[in-house]
Amino acid sequence: MSKKVAVVTGANKGIGLAIVRGLCKAGFPGDVVATARNEKLGRDAVEMLREEGFEAVFHQLDILDQSSAERLRDFLQNKYGGLDVLINNAGIAYKHDAVEPFGEQAEVTMRTNFLGTLKVSRALFPLLRPNARVVNVSSFVSQRALGQCNPQLQEKFRDPELSEEDLCSLMEEFVKAAQHGNHQAEGIQARVLTQTRAADGILLNACCPGWVRTDMAGPKAPKSPDEGAETPVYLAMLPPGEKSPHGQLEQRSAILL
């Protein structure tokens, strides 16, 4: 049987690095692959973990680069024959005092956090083995942004029958509205896995790690990166045979014993 493998994107610092550390501490039974866009920073992070007594594997990944995602896919296929855990953590966030217009912020953020994550998921989902776990790391900002949309747009986003294609169109619609300054006036992946691989026991969830002390959130946040990593690690380590949670946004604080 091929060795198990977990992939964490955006893992050279912050919550991503803490997730890699958390998986190692929790005894993930295989290799934990830490990815980062910058190869030097990624390798330095893996070396720091090694000095702490944790073994991880580094592989370069730029989530905005389709060929980079395909190289990671080929590496996983050739070395492991599949994928057991995928934690989509890589992303960006503008600070509260950012001077860029909101429309620009919306376009850049969507291109990275939504389309970049979608590229990686499309490349790696075919590798998911039975009982695989997928975790999409989100934030309270996304929930707040949805709450600021008009009721009609909120209804579209919350439609349980919303397709991936429709979601992409809605995201484009939101960005265009934001660029015109009227964005306030104007669980899909889990469902697809349930429909296409119902017998495989794959669980996919999103989670909000909370306000965590990172470069994105700043030094005043109350939670450490290791505390922010607890829920992603909990979801990634759900044992085989579990039926839930699936297709949920988890915000619990989980402690692995």
Side-chain angles (χ1 to χ4, degrees):
M1 181 178 292
S2 298
K3 191 175 189 180
K4 285 195 171 187
V5 60
V7 169
V8 183
T9 70
N12 61 287
K13 62 181 179 178
I15 295 174
L17 179 59
I19 291 172
V20 174
R21 182 185 293 112
L23 288 171
C24 293
K25 282 184 177 179
F28 178 75
D31 285 348
V32 180
V33 178
T35 76
R37 180 178 56 185
N38 185 300
E39 184 159 352
K40 182 182 185 306
L41 294 178
R43 293 193 182 280
D44 287 348
V46 167
E47 179 57 33
M48 182 179 70
L49 288 172
R50 186 172 292 114
E51 292 173 358
E52 296 176 11
F54 304 117
E55 292 294 326
V57 177
F58 173 74
H59 196 284
Q60 193 275 340
L61 173 66
D62 180 350
I63 66 171
L64 293 177
D65 184 349
Q66 184 66 41
S67 62
S68 178
E70 291 170 355
R71 285 193 295 273
L72 175 60
R73 175 200 64 196
D74 294 344
F75 165 76
L76 295 169
Q77 179 65 61
N78 294 333
K79 183 166 184 178
Y80 301 100
L83 178 61
D84 301 282
V85 170
L86 171 61
I87 301 182
N88 285 312
N89 168 75
I92 64 168
Y94 283 86
K95 296 186 182 299
H96 289 296
D97 58 357
V99 297
E100 293 85 354
F102 182 75
E104 179 182 336
Q105 294 184 37
E107 193 278 330
V108 172
T109 302
M110 188 199 73
R111 186 173 67 241
T112 305
N113 297 359
F114 176 69
L115 294 178
T117 298
L118 188 60
K119 280 187 178 112
V120 173
S121 297
R122 285 175 172 171
L124 301 187
F125 271 27
L127 300 183
L128 293 174
R129 286 192 272 244
N131 294 307
R133 304 290 181 252
V134 180
V135 183
N136 294 326
V137 179
S138 182
S139 75
F140 66 89
V141 176
S142 61
Q143 295 173 280
R144 186 175 63 192
L146 179 59
Q148 292 175 344
C149 294
N150 66 51
Q152 292 79 15
L153 195 53
Q154 288 190 43
E155 184 178 359
K156 290 179 181 179
F157 274 116
R158 291 180 168 132
D159 182 358
E161 299 303 318
L162 185 69
S163 69
E164 186 177 283
E165 182 180 359
D166 291 337
L167 178 59
C168 290
S169 297
L170 277 177
M171 294 298 290
E172 293 285 355
E173 179 182 335
F174 173 78
V175 169
K176 288 178 182 177
Q179 289 172 337
H180 287 88
N182 61 358
H183 60 288
Q184 292 179 319
E186 291 223 351
I188 295 171
Q189 290 178 324
R191 187 176 73 243
V192 171
L193 285 172
T194 299
Q195 292 171 346
T196 60
R197 302 185 59 179
D200 284 346
I202 298 173
L203 299 180
L204 183 151
N205 293 284
C207 68
C208 175
W211 190 15
V212 178
R213 291 189 297 276
T214 64
D215 288 348
M216 284 187 187
K220 295 182 180 180
K223 298 178 70 173
S224 70
D226 285 342
E227 289 172 322
E230 289 174 356
T231 301
V233 171
Y234 158 76
L235 292 170
M237 296 291 289
L238 288 170
E242 289 290 328
K243 303 295 184 183
S244 63
H246 180 54
Q248 301 298 313
L249 174 62
E250 292 289 310
Q251 301 182 72
R252 74 180 72 188
S253 176
I255 304 288
L256 289 177
L257 300 179

